[in-house]
Amino acid sequence: MEQYAIKGGNPLVGEVEIGGAKNAALPILAAAIMTDETVIIENVPDVRDTNALLQAMESIGVYVEKLDRHTVKINGSQIHGHVIKDELIKKIRASYYLIGAMLGKYKEAEVVLPGGCNIGSRPIDQHIKGWEALGTKVDIAHGSISAKAEVLKGNHIYMDVVSVGATINVMMAAAMAEGQTVIENAAKEPHVVDLANFLNSMGANIKGAGTDVIRIKGVTKLHKSEYTIIPDQIEAGTFMFAAAVTKGDITVKNVIPKHLESITAKLIEIGCEVEASDDAVRVVASKPLVHTHVKTLPYPGFPTDMQPQIAVALGLSRGTSIVTESIFENRFRYVDELTRMGASIKVEGNTAIINGVDKYTGASMSAPDLRAGAALVMAGLAAEGFSMVDDIHYIQRGYEDFEMKLQSLGAQIEKVESEREIQKFKLKVG
Ligand code: EPZ
């Protein structure tokens, strides 16, 4: 089983190129099947989640060709089935984006229901509410969700919760419905906007993405497009906080600083210097970190996907900090791992009370999920001594070349698969 071996203590210094946004790539790749013409998508991150979705698409007859590591050619004209098999959907929950895409184009779809996740129950009631409002009959039976509509007709839909997935899934179905759809209380994340821009580049008529009211005028046909995905806000934020945690100096390149404003604001609050240019942000952590409070919120608030990363930094910040997780109900599973490294954190419900300590000490840990896994690697890089991180397949779902990018910043980290490789690493780093 692959693990990361880490020797902590080196400040991370240098520049790192940020890849395409995983959470924009997933809906955009799914939406690419909504035309029978060919679509070229650039800046697709080469990570497990995107590759698993492309595999699920091929399983129903979509033509998929990687023109290079980050450019994919897609043609959905030969789709022969609307049922995504369960071994594929178990790999990637976001396969459910294919329901919205196929509903829009074919007025029918069937996908095995995604399981819960390590961060919460992940219901899809708002997705279903939106599709039913457009005239879809949704059935859940034998672990599958099937959606079918004689006609999709636009409607005025109020989301009960701000949901990225539901906003995206309803937007795709509504893009090819008859008449106008209004989505109220819509998610405003950059990846929601990126999908709307992509659909419009194929001839859709979507206005208001990025605000909480999205207006969609259905069209009968979508056409070919060449589209480049936005940079990954969360990958960028992860490396920005890696600078804070290791007392380093990191410049993240190929980013959209506007998408990082809530992350930048918190880094400044805990004592980092941050300077932004038009497509890069530099974070310098030369002073001791100080405490702050943070509550995760939908965009433009502080992202829930950055919650484990800021908690690792606050664990090393002077004073007492409070982290409130308002989006998911089970996103503190990494705290027990961090405690093994000497952190002083008490979790009460959806709140973590963090008393900063002077240092972490290396330990063996397991990644409980994608973002917590990345955060535990950051803690290992800051810790005194040697750490191991297990279950790194979670991290590989959303971070491309994670250890290589960290090595380029001076991190002593290696992917290892055997006791022999661990001993070799220990001898090398001393
Ligand atoms: C997306 O998940 C992201 N995943 C998550 O990133 C991210 O944490 C989340 O949005 C919030 O930003 C992808 O984009 C693939 P939601 P999603 O629907 O769409 C509740 C990562 O690390 N809800 O915005 O599933 C839900 O339980 C992943 O890249 C309902 O109640 O999140 C949660 O409490 C982790 N009913 C809240 O809304 C629904 O029908 C927000 O969830 C849908 C959601």
Side-chain angles (χ1 to χ4, degrees), residues 289-368:
L289 301 179
V290 295
H291 72 281
T292 189
H293 301 323
V294 60
K295 178 173 183 179
T296 64
L297 288 170
Y299 190 85
F302 191 84
T304 174
D305 291 349
M306 284 298 304
Q307 184 257 90
Q309 297 92 315
I310 193 170
V312 167
L314 295 174
L316 292 171
S317 302
R318 206 178 306 142
T320 299
S321 303
I322 294 179
V323 176
T324 306
E325 171 56 57
S326 76
I327 308 289
F328 289 110
E329 68 270 24
N330 185 22
R331 203 163 198 174
F332 286 121
R333 293 173 66 238
Y334 61 90
V335 168
D336 293 344
E337 305 293 305
L338 220 41
T339 305
R340 302 150 63 83
M341 302 180 79
S344 169
I345 305 179
K346 183 152 177 36
V347 176
E348 290 185 359
N350 69 343
T351 301
I353 298 131
I354 303 176
N355 295 311
V357 295
D358 291 339
K359 64 177 171 37
Y360 294 138
T361 51
S364 287
M365 302 168 276
S366 291

Side-chain angles (χ1 to χ4, degrees), residues 22-23 26-27 49 93-94 96-97 117 119 121-128 161-166 168 187 189 191 234 304-305 326-329 331 370-371:
K22 165 181 84 81
N23 292 347
L26 294 171
D49 272 10
R93 317 169 23 86
Y96 62 24
Y97 285 148
C117 188
I119 58 175
S121 63
R122 313 297 289 276
I124 59 168
D125 57 301
Q126 298 299 304
H127 301 237
I128 294 169
V161 291
V162 175
S163 161
V164 167
I168 282 172
E189 273 68 7
H191 30 291
I234 304 302
T304 174
D305 291 349
S326 76
I327 308 289
F328 289 110
E329 68 270 24
R331 203 163 198 174
L370 161 58
R371 306 303 176 182

Side-chain angles (χ1 to χ4, degrees), residues 68-86:
D68 64 40
R69 187 177 183 192
H70 300 118
T71 307
V72 185
K73 183 177 179 181
I74 290 171
N75 184 294
S77 59
Q78 305 303 316
I79 289 176
H80 49 60
H82 303 146
V83 181
I84 306 288
K85 301 212 176 19
D86 60 352

Side-chain angles (χ1 to χ4, degrees), residues 21-90:
K22 165 181 84 81
N23 292 347
L26 294 171
I28 287 171
L29 292 172
I33 68 166
M34 294 177 75
T35 172
D36 281 342
E37 298 178 19
T38 296
V39 171
I40 310 272
I41 312 285
E42 294 171 348
N43 205 29
V44 179
D46 181 14
V47 293
R48 286 177 184 233
D49 272 10
T50 48
N51 291 324
L53 179 63
L54 288 170
Q55 203 187 356
M57 289 163 64
E58 284 182 302
S59 76
I60 56 171
V62 178
Y63 174 86
V64 174
E65 180 189 351
K66 281 210 169 181
L67 302 180
D68 64 40
R69 187 177 183 192
H70 300 118
T71 307
V72 185
K73 183 177 179 181
I74 290 171
N75 184 294
S77 59
Q78 305 303 316
I79 289 176
H80 49 60
H82 303 146
V83 181
I84 306 288
K85 301 212 176 19
D86 60 352
E87 67 276 7
L88 292 169
I89 188 136
K90 287 222 163 39

Side-chain angles (χ1 to χ4, degrees), residues 199-266:
L199 286 168
N200 284 340
S201 79
M202 290 206 290
N205 184 335
I206 300 170
K207 292 186 170 51
T211 74
D212 41 19
V213 182
I214 299 178
R215 296 176 196 288
I216 301 157
K217 279 208 181 70
V219 296
T220 51
K221 208 166 151 46
L222 294 173
H223 54 69
K224 66 179 186 291
S225 170
E226 292 203 15
Y227 194 79
T228 302
I229 287 170
I230 55 169
D232 195 311
Q233 165 202 36
I234 304 302
E235 184 192 20
T238 303
F239 282 100
M240 290 162 72
F241 266 91
V245 167
T246 62
K247 300 185 176 47
D249 175 351
I250 295 178
T251 299
V252 289
K253 299 181 72 177
N254 182 30
V255 296
I256 299 174
K258 172 116 190 77
H259 293 166
L260 305 171
E261 285 179 347
S262 64
I263 296 165
T264 296
K266 283 300 168 192

